[in-house]
Amino acid sequence: MEDLTADVADLTLSRACVACGEIGSVLCSACEVSLIRVHRHEIRRWEMMPSHRQAGARPVVVASTYDGAAKRVIIAHKEHGVLGLTPVLGSMLAVSIAALGEGPFAVVPIPPHRDAIRRRGIDTLGAIADRATGELRAAGWCAHVVPALRRRADGGRHVGRSAQERRAAVQETMAVDARMISRLAPGEGLIVVDDVVTTGATVWEAVRTLRASGLAVEGIAAVAGTERPAAPGRVN
C-alpha cells in the first residue's frame, strides 16, 4: 500500500508544479526562476541557537527561508522522490556554498539515515551536493563532494521533536569515514551541507565530529533554513 501511495503521489506531482500547482510540469518556469534567481546579497546568514554558539563557530548560509515554494520543493524531492527537482535545489545549494568564500571546497553532506536510501531509492542530499559542485566547477570554482561522514547510530527522524530532543538524539551518531579522508587535498576548506537547517542540531553535530578528528570546517551551507527553531512537523 505504501508503494502504491508513493506511485500515485509521484504521478500527481509530475503533472503539476509542486510549488504553485500549475498544471504542466513538476516545476513551472516562473517558480524555478524565483528559486534560482538568488543574488549574493540575498543570502541568509542563519544564526546558530545559543547552545550551538562556541568559540570559532563558522557561519551558516542558506539560499532561502524554509517556507513557500522552497519548502514545497524540498519536501517533494526529499519525501516523495521527485528527482526532477534536483537541478534547482543543486543551484540553490551552489549559491550558498559560493557565499562562504573563494574555495577550494570539499563539500561534506550530512550522511543519510540508515533506511533513507532504501525508502527513497537514492541519497537525495548526495544528489543535490553533486549537482551543486558540478555547477560550481562549471563556473570556474574548485569544489567536489567528499562523503567524509557516516552514520554509526541512528537518532531517528526529528519531526515533532523539540530542539533539546533533537540535540540529544544526534549526539555521537556520526563518525568520520577514514577511507574518504584521502580525497581531501591540501588547502581545501570543508563545507558541511544539508538540504534544510532548522534547529542546527544535525549540522553542528557533523561539525563537532569532523573537528574531533582534527579536520577544519570553514562553514555550513544549506538550501533553506528556518528563521526560528522549528515547529513540530517540519522536515530536518
Side-chain angles (χ1 to χ4, degrees), residues 207-231:
V207 170
R208 188 203 64 75
T209 302
L210 292 166
R211 286 179 170 174
S213 295
L215 299 170
V217 178
E218 296 297 319
I220 298 164
V223 176
T226 55
E227 294 287 355
R228 291 177 293 277

Side-chain angles (χ1 to χ4, degrees), residues 18-99:
V18 299
C20 71
E22 179 178 320
I23 301 299
S25 62
V26 67
L27 186 66
C28 72
S29 58
C31 288
E32 182 175 3
V33 168
S34 72
L35 288 171
I36 64 175
R37 188 174 289 171
V38 181
H39 301 290
R40 191 181 182 96
H41 68 276
E42 294 174 337
I43 293 292
R44 280 78 169 174
R45 288 189 175 268
W46 194 86
E47 287 293 330
M48 280 288 189
M49 292 180 66
S51 58
H52 295 144
R53 292 175 190 147
Q54 299 184 16
R58 295 301 185 184
V60 183
V61 176
V62 300
S64 173
T65 51
Y66 184 56
D67 57 18
K71 180 177 181 178
R72 289 189 287 271
V73 168
I74 289 170
I75 291 175
H77 185 264
K78 185 173 184 174
E79 300 300 331
H80 301 294
V82 185
L83 301 182
L85 299 171
T86 301
V88 68
L89 294 173
S91 295
M92 295 172 74
L93 181 59
V95 171
S96 296
I97 295 170

